Every structure is written in C-alpha cells, then in structure tokens.
C-alpha cells in the first residue's frame, strides 16, 4: 500500500484580505494536506500579519522580486 502525500501551494500577491480564509479553507478539507506552502510573490501587503497564528501551519516563502503567478507556483513546487 502506498502512502500519498498532499501538498497545497498557494501563490500570494496583494492577498492579505483573503489569505487567512484561503488557508482556513484548505485546513477544513476532509483530507488535511501534509503541507501548505504560501509563496508571497513580493506583494506590497503583509501576508505574515494576515496569516497570524496560521503561520505555524504553513511553510512561508517570500520572493525578493516579483516573478508572477507561474514563478510563485514553481517556487512552491520546488520547495
């Protein structure tokens, strides 16, 4: 029997208003993922503050330069 691993990658840019709700939605699924990776694509807002106490449930990566949504997804995939 194989053991499946589930990872969720969430690209984030200017998303402080919705990122907490997004992470909560992922955490409330029937199958909770093994990891949640939030990639902040050098947005102007404070994603860390918006995540609050959820930070201990996610792996947070911040780009120093904006790479676009595809770049954020690739970074999350590589992580």
């Amino acid at each position: 029997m194989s053991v499946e691993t589930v990872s969720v990658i969430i690209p984030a840019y200017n998303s402080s208003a919705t990122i907490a709700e997004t992470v909560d939605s992922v955490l409330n699924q029937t199958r909770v993922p093994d990891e949640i990776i939030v990639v902040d694509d050098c947005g102007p807002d404070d994603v860390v503050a918006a995540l609050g106490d959820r930070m201990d449930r996610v792996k947070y990566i911040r780009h120093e330069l904006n790479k676009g949504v595809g770049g954020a997804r690739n970074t999350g995939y590589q992580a």
Side-chain angles (χ1 to χ4, degrees):
M1 179 164 105
S2 67
V3 176
E4 294 181 352
T5 301
V6 176
S7 300
V8 175
I9 301 166
I10 304 172
Y13 180 85
N14 201 23
S15 62
S16 63
T18 58
I19 194 70
E21 182 180 358
T22 302
V23 170
D24 288 346
S25 178
V26 171
L27 292 171
N28 287 321
Q29 296 302 307
T30 304
R31 169 61 163 94
V32 176
D34 298 295
E35 65 180 348
I36 300 171
I37 302 169
V38 174
V39 183
D40 182 350
D41 196 26
C42 194
D45 55 350
D46 192 351
V47 172
V48 172
L51 285 170
D53 62 354
R54 294 166 192 82
M55 281 298 293
D56 63 343
R57 303 289 305 267
V58 304
K59 178 176 183 177
Y60 175 79
I61 302 168
R62 178 172 169 81
H63 284 165
E64 292 303 316
L65 298 171
N66 184 279
K67 298 181 181 183
V69 69
R73 284 187 198 123
N74 288 340
T75 296
Y77 179 75
Q78 291 169 355

